[in-house]
């Protein structure tokens, strides 16, 4: 047999093995609890870790630029970051990105920050006012005026959920690696954005606010464990870490670092959404063309 036949056979076995591991224990489970658990043999052979970033020496960075983008969850390509929003009728192995971030923030697995410059570390108790609203109904106010107390049935609590997240803000760094001669991207931070919880159920235009920022390199292990639904093949889900690192989403540039204190596009192009969009495209093309211009003589 030819060497090509052996090479093809080895590749087939490798892909087949990867597919079987992706299904975990769903075909061998004796109880529903075992359905998404790995067997002892799979755990022994597993090397399922996020691909580590290579070391980049500062002397190898010929050019770089910080970029802030907004990822609109109304766009179909960004749906994997949004769904599922109802977790009552779906398996525990599938959660939205917001649920993954909040769950691990509560568990202390990831750190949260107040801004995209990561100047101040915060905890969930510091942003409870932004994540939940507690109000008393009119009947509760009447009871308080009459009896000096309020029953639990007259207290309304409104929590921000995955269904309320409308956007994600991301901060990344484009740089040209002169050692490898190519333009690269490194994602630095991500923040879920929702309407202000105090006015979230009103009909008027909502004011969108970022809830917290997460330092992405420090959250990669957590995001690697969380799977994203693959509509092409349920046996081969991808991870949030892979999805975000490979930029399988559509983002609109809203800011790049500049001498005016990193001012945003909307600060120097006001009340003109079309021109803001064109400016965003101009900034994107300016970054992309840098690599091409390096090879023009």
């Amino acid at each position: 047999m030819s060497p090509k036949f052996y090479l093809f056979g080895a590749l087939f076995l490798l892909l087949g093995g990867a597919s079987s591991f992706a299904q975990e224990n769903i075909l061998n489970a004796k109880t529903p609890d075992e359905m998404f658990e790995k067997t002892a043999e799979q755990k022994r052979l597993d090397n399922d870790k996020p691909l580590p970033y290579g070391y980049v020496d500062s002397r190898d960075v010929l050019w770089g630029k910080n970029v802030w983008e907004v990822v609109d969850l109304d766009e179909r390509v960004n749906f994997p970051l949004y769904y599922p929003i109802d977790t009552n009728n779906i398996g525990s192995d599938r959660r939205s990105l917001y649920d993954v971030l909040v769950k691990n923030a509560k568990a202390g697995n990831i750190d949260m920050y107040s801004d995209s410059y990561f100047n101040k570390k915060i905890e969930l108790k510091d942003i409870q006012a932004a994540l939940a609203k507690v109000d008393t109904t009119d009947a509760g106010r009447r009871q308080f005026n009459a009896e000096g107390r309020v029953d639990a049935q007259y207290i309304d609590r409104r929590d921000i959920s995955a269904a309320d997240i409308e956007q994600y803000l991301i901060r990344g760094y484009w740089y040209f690696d002169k050692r490898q001669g190519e333009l690269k991207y490194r994602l630095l931070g991500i923040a879920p954005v929702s309407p202000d919880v105090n006015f979230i159920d009103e009909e008027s235009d909502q004011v969108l606010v970022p809830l917290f920022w997460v330092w992405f390199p420090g959250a990669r292990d957590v995001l690697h464990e969380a799977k994203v639904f693959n509509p092409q093949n349920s046996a081969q889900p991808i991870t949030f870490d892979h999805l975000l690192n490979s930029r399988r989403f559509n983002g609109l540039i809203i800011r790049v670092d500049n001498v005016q204190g990193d001012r945003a596009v909307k600060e120097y192009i006001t009340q003109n959404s079309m021109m803001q969009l064109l400016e965003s495209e101009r900034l994107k093309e300016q970054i992309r063309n840098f690599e091409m211009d390096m090879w023009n003589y």
Side-chain angles (χ1 to χ4, degrees):
M1 297 184 182
S2 66
K4 291 183 178 180
F5 178 82
Y6 289 108
L7 180 61
F8 177 79
L11 181 61
F12 178 79
L13 290 175
L14 179 62
L15 293 177
S19 176
S20 64
F21 285 119
Q23 297 177 40
E24 294 183 351
N25 202 32
I26 192 170
L27 299 179
N28 303 312
K30 295 181 174 59
T31 64
D33 295 336
E34 299 176 357
M35 186 164 54
F36 295 104
E37 292 183 0
K38 296 181 180 180
T39 64
E41 184 67 14
Q42 288 174 336
K43 292 179 180 179
R44 186 180 67 85
L45 297 176
D46 196 3
N47 187 24
D48 190 19
K49 297 291 184 181
L51 186 65
Y53 292 142
Y55 176 75
V56 181
D57 195 290
S58 59
R59 293 172 296 182
D60 295 332
V61 179
L62 180 66
W63 173 91
K65 184 170 285 292
N66 285 285
V67 176
W68 288 259
E69 297 173 84
V70 58
V71 179
D72 192 343
L73 298 183
D74 279 338
E75 297 186 38
R76 184 174 296 274
V77 70
N78 298 328
F79 280 179
L81 298 174
Y82 181 66
Y83 290 102
I85 57 176
D86 183 4
T87 59
N88 294 322
N89 300 313
I90 201 167
S92 60
D93 61 313
R94 290 180 57 188
R95 289 293 182 267
S96 70
L97 177 58
Y98 176 75
D99 287 334
V100 172
L101 293 176
V102 172
K103 175 184 176 182
N104 286 279
K106 291 180 178 178
N109 297 328
I110 60 176
D111 295 327
M112 298 186 300
Y113 295 84
S114 59
D115 56 60
S116 61
Y117 294 95
F118 310 103
N119 293 319
K120 181 182 178 182
K121 187 181 295 187
I122 59 176
E123 298 180 359
L124 277 175
K125 63 180 182 180
D126 299 324
I127 57 172
Q128 280 301 320
L131 298 180
K133 176 183 69 173
V134 179
D135 198 5
T136 305
T137 63
D138 293 337
R141 295 188 184 95
R142 289 193 296 269
Q143 183 188 27
F144 181 80
N145 292 332
E147 305 175 12
R149 64 183 183 87
V150 179
D151 292 338
Q153 61 180 330
Y154 299 133
I155 298 178
D156 289 336
R157 181 182 176 88
R158 177 67 162 88
D159 292 298
I160 295 292
S161 66
D164 300 315
I165 304 302
E166 297 189 9
Q167 300 173 350
Y168 280 96
L169 296 180
I170 62 173
R171 177 188 172 186
Y173 189 69
W174 286 98
Y175 65 97
F176 187 84
D177 190 330
K178 67 180 181 181
R179 182 180 293 274
Q180 299 188 19
E182 60 180 328
L183 187 68
K184 294 185 177 182
Y185 178 78
R186 180 71 58 85
L187 202 157
L188 300 178
I190 186 167
V193 178
S194 76
D196 190 327
V197 70
N198 296 301
F199 311 101
I200 194 170
D201 296 318
E202 296 184 2
E203 296 293 336
S204 58
D205 293 338
Q206 300 288 345
V207 177
L208 300 180
V209 294
L211 301 177
F212 55 85
W213 279 88
V214 173
W215 174 250
F216 182 79
R220 290 192 64 204
D221 288 333
V222 166
L223 296 176
H224 183 75
E225 296 295 328
K227 307 300 181 183
V228 182
F229 178 71
N230 184 353
Q232 307 300 326
N233 185 359
S234 297
Q236 291 286 349
I238 61 177
T239 68
F240 279 114
D241 176 65
H242 181 197
L243 183 144
L244 293 168
N245 268 314
S246 57
R247 291 189 60 87
R248 296 174 65 168
F249 57 84
N250 183 51
L252 181 69
I253 295 178
I254 58 174
R255 177 187 300 177
V256 298
D257 49 4
N258 53 69
V259 70
Q260 292 94 351
D262 297 347
R263 66 176 181 174
V265 170
K266 65 180 181 180
E267 293 179 16
Y268 61 90
I269 300 179
T270 60
Q271 300 180 349
N272 193 327
S273 299
M274 177 60 72
M275 293 304 297
Q276 291 174 2
L277 181 62
L278 293 176
E279 174 67 4
S280 175
E281 289 298 315
R282 184 190 71 83
L283 293 172
K284 181 171 68 174
E285 288 301 315
Q286 185 182 56
I287 294 172
R288 294 174 59 184
N289 289 339
F290 181 87
E291 182 179 24
M292 298 181 62
D293 293 341
M294 289 296 297
W295 308 115
N296 291 336
Y297 298 95

